[in-house]
Amino acid sequence: MPASHLNQIIAALPLQRGAREPLFRQLYAAIKAAILDGSMSPGMQLPPTRDFCRLLAVSRQTVLNAYAQLAAEGYLDGAVGRGTFVSREVPQPMAAPAGKMDAPGLLRPLSARGQGVVTAMRQVAFHRGPLRAFRVGMPRIDHFPFDVWNRLEARRWRRPDHQFGYSDPAGYLPLRELLCVYLKASRGVQCTPQQIVITSGSQQALFMLSTILLAPGDSAWMESPGYRGASGPLRAAGARVFPVPVDAQGLDVAYGVAHCPQAKLAYVTPSHQMPLGVSMSLPRRLALLAWAAHKQAWLVEDDYDSEYRYAGAPLASLQSLDRAGCVVYVGTLSKVLFPGLRLGYMVAPPALAEALVQAKAVMDRHTAIVPQMALADFIAEGHFGRHIRRTRDSNAERRDLLLRGLARELDDQLLCGPADCGLELCAYFRAGHDEEIVARAGLARGIELRPLGHYADPAAGPACATPPGLLLGFAAIPPAEMAHGLLQLGRILRGR
Ligand SMILES: Cc1ncc(COP(=O)(O)O)c(C=O)c1O
């Protein structure tokens, strides 16, 4: 190539003076692009840095830095006194010539397992934007003592120790010890710290359990309607998800036994069924435990929000009744603290614990240590208990507000389900509205109405049918927003 042509290419390299990216990085990227698209071909000699910087009106150091980076990455070869050349090792051309490049399509199809994972959750709806009536799954965040948390974390950051290296995959030991005491006192959970594995939210626990405990093709009972965050991991693991109906006593164990006795696992929310809000009766709990012990099936107890029980004492966990070592108890800090913290835990039967610790190490080595440390301090210094008590009072107030509002303004339209626990309640339509139409109308009016159908398994038969209705979150919703939500909901249901 004649030198004049090369000089033209160099003079045309796109550099933006005053941009945030340093000039040498821009020059490096521009030369690299020219090499990859073939404008600068293998073996071509680049001008001496002195000429190069004159052509582009940049400093010599800028050119030297760009050359050095390109040489380190193998795009340029050179030796002192011999000149600088485009490497002969770069295949030509690597990319389409200049112009707008389309992003390449998927190189090859996902693996069958990958396809199973990415389609497992069916359009998961993440809540976006500012909080609105009646968002579900959200605790009251403005109550959280962020100043205290900030102080506790800062204290840890100021004194880094050996724990800041790789640490125990099971989680920070003092935190597991504190959780042990807490779970025993509040939920009757019987365990040692060695049975606890700290996870990134309960979602990771559910994924790990599905993957470790089930083989592709194994059947698993799933509450229907039920929590998609649990059926997703089961599907991702290749399990056959068998929908088992839920009634006023919780999971219909007899139905599961009659129709899918060979299941290897059952997922349940016995303290507060998601989404119907019922708690599992003692006879059902005992029947479930008896089936599991007899069939050597695992029971995954998801106890996600039972700290917030507004009437009577908290119910004892299923785990506390387990004598066969079949219950894995899963908990989360997402409801008592906040979801973005991504802290959860599982309590495994002793014989399973070590396998889960090993699995956790394979998955992500361990959960980030500083939030675990801050949580341990938060619990040990009494902030945790105080926060739960305070938030429980606030939640109860907002629940009462919602119940009063529904009774006052929508009694002819909605029939409320159980509301003695949790952060949301379900309300059934009295006049046979279409859930999806109501939910869309809600969005158009700036409120979030979660259809109960969202929790239904499309493959479930009529035995699992639930009346149409909505799940309404209350804990995070300030009174004025709740009043606005009730007004809009009334208008939608009355067609105004
Ligand atoms: C039944 C159930 N389990 C667990 C969770 C919490 O999940 P995570 O701990 O991953 O935030 C939720 C959140 O809404 C839930 O509804």
Side-chain angles (χ1 to χ4, degrees):
M1 180 183 291
S4 60
H5 185 72
L6 178 60
N7 288 352
Q8 277 171 13
I9 293 176
I10 291 170
L13 289 175
L15 297 185
Q16 282 185 337
R17 279 149 228 282
R20 279 177 67 175
E21 192 176 18
L23 271 180
F24 89 89
R25 289 291 311 175
Q26 296 186 41
L27 184 56
Y28 149 83
I31 298 176
K32 182 164 127 181
I35 294 173
L36 290 175
D37 73 17
S39 327
M40 292 184 182
S41 44
M44 178 185 275
Q45 182 168 20
L46 295 189
T49 49
R50 228 172 292 104
D51 297 349
F52 207 128
C53 61
R54 219 173 301 118
L55 276 168
L56 282 171
V58 294
S59 76
R60 182 144 178 256
Q61 195 57 45
T62 297
V63 181
L64 284 171
N65 288 347
Y67 272 26
Q69 183 68 31
L70 289 160
E73 293 182 11
Y75 292 96
L76 299 183
D77 288 331
V80 180
R82 205 172 55 77
T84 304
F85 300 84
V86 175
S87 166
R88 293 195 181 276
E89 306 293 320
V90 183
Q92 291 291 303
M94 288 285 290
K100 192 174 173 301
M101 276 200 306
D102 289 334
L106 186 63
L107 183 65
R108 45 184 286 121
L110 300 182
S111 68
R113 188 183 43 209
Q115 191 60 33
V117 172
V118 301
T119 52
M121 290 261 259
R122 287 194 294 131
Q123 327 144 5
V124 183
F126 296 104
H127 311 302
R128 292 216 173 87
L131 190 70
R132 309 188 279 192
F134 293 96
R135 182 165 299 176
V136 299
M138 277 297 293
R140 179 168 180 182
I141 287 198
D142 61 351
H143 247 180
F144 186 77
F146 286 102
D147 52 341
V148 173
W149 189 271
N150 190 12
R151 184 164 53 71
L152 297 176
E153 272 212 0
R155 198 165 69 192
R156 292 293 185 162
W157 289 123
R158 273 198 302 275
R159 281 184 241 136
D161 63 14
H162 67 281
Q163 311 251 26
F164 277 40
Y166 292 115
S167 57
D168 191 341
Y172 183 52
L173 181 59
L175 173 59
R176 289 186 285 131
E177 289 168 344
L178 288 158
L179 283 175
C180 229
V181 176
Y182 165 71
L183 290 172
K184 182 165 189 195
S186 70
R187 314 288 309 113
V189 170
Q190 302 295 329
C191 68
T192 64
Q194 286 63 40
Q195 287 171 255
I196 299 185
V197 181
I198 308 292
T199 53
S200 297
S202 54
Q203 194 62 41
Q204 187 181 47
L206 296 173
F207 184 79
M208 285 173 60
L209 291 170
S210 304
T211 311
I212 301 302
L213 303 180
L214 297 175
D218 282 350
S219 298
W221 291 1
M222 175 69 212
E223 297 173 330
S224 183
Y227 179 50
R228 281 201 202 175
S231 54
L234 291 172
R235 289 203 168 85
R240 283 173 213 270
V241 175
F242 184 81
V244 178
V246 177
D247 61 20
Q249 290 193 63
L251 184 90
D252 187 343
V253 179
Y255 182 95
V257 172
H259 295 89
C260 185
Q262 77 285 7
K264 300 284 187 293
L265 180 151
Y267 166 85
V268 276
T269 47
S271 302
H272 185 223
Q273 205 274 334
M274 180 55 134
L276 302 183
V278 295
S279 50
M280 192 185 270
S281 68
L282 183 60
R284 289 276 175 90
R285 288 172 190 244
L286 296 175
L288 184 61
L289 286 163
W291 165 78
H294 177 57
K295 293 287 184 182
Q296 297 178 324
W298 299 106
L299 298 179
V300 175
E301 174 180 23
D302 183 355
D303 201 16
Y304 61 106
D305 69 358
S306 56
E307 283 85 356
Y308 295 131
R309 174 157 289 279
Y310 310 115
L315 305 177
S317 61
L318 191 64
Q319 197 267 9
S320 65
L321 300 171
D322 179 23
R323 299 288 167 267
C326 54
V327 176
V328 186
Y329 177 93
V330 174
T332 181
L333 277 305
S334 290
K335 308 297 160 178
V336 277
L337 301 184
F338 56 94
L341 196 55
R342 302 317 298 141
L343 281 176
Y345 49 88
M346 50 188 160
V347 182
L352 178 63
E354 185 50 29
L356 292 176
V357 174
Q358 294 303 330
K360 172 72 179 164
V362 170
M363 183 155 269
D364 62 358
R365 287 189 188 263
H366 60 77
T367 293
I369 194 74
V370 173
Q372 294 191 62
M373 291 171 152
L375 176 58
D377 296 342
F378 194 73
I379 298 175
E381 294 181 14
H383 306 293
F384 188 64
R386 241 186 328 275
H387 177 63
I388 293 180
R389 284 193 295 280
R390 193 161 162 240
T391 317
R392 188 184 292 131
D393 290 346
S394 154
N395 291 352
E397 263 170 38
R398 289 183 173 184
R399 177 201 68 151
D400 293 347
L401 199 63
L402 178 58
L403 285 174
R404 280 201 305 275
L406 289 170
R408 192 176 57 240
E409 296 171 36
L410 286 158
D411 197 36
D412 58 329
Q413 299 289 334
L414 293 171
L415 176 68
C416 288
D420 49 2
C421 186
L423 311 179
E424 49 257 318
L425 57 86
C426 66
Y428 301 99
F429 298 140
R430 289 187 193 272
H433 284 85
D434 180 309
E435 291 178 346
E436 291 296 334
I437 294 177
V438 170
R440 273 200 297 278
L443 276 185
R445 290 166 181 256
I447 60 171
E448 294 175 16
L449 303 168
R450 171 68 64 82
L452 287 178
H454 170 95
Y455 299 90
D457 183 334
C464 294
T466 18
L470 303 168
L471 191 65
L472 303 175
F474 54 79
I477 315 300
E481 179 62 19
M482 198 178 291
H484 166 74
L486 285 168
L487 181 71
Q488 296 305 328
L489 179 55
R491 287 183 178 157
I492 294 168
L493 294 179
R494 297 197 175 93
R496 293 191 200 135

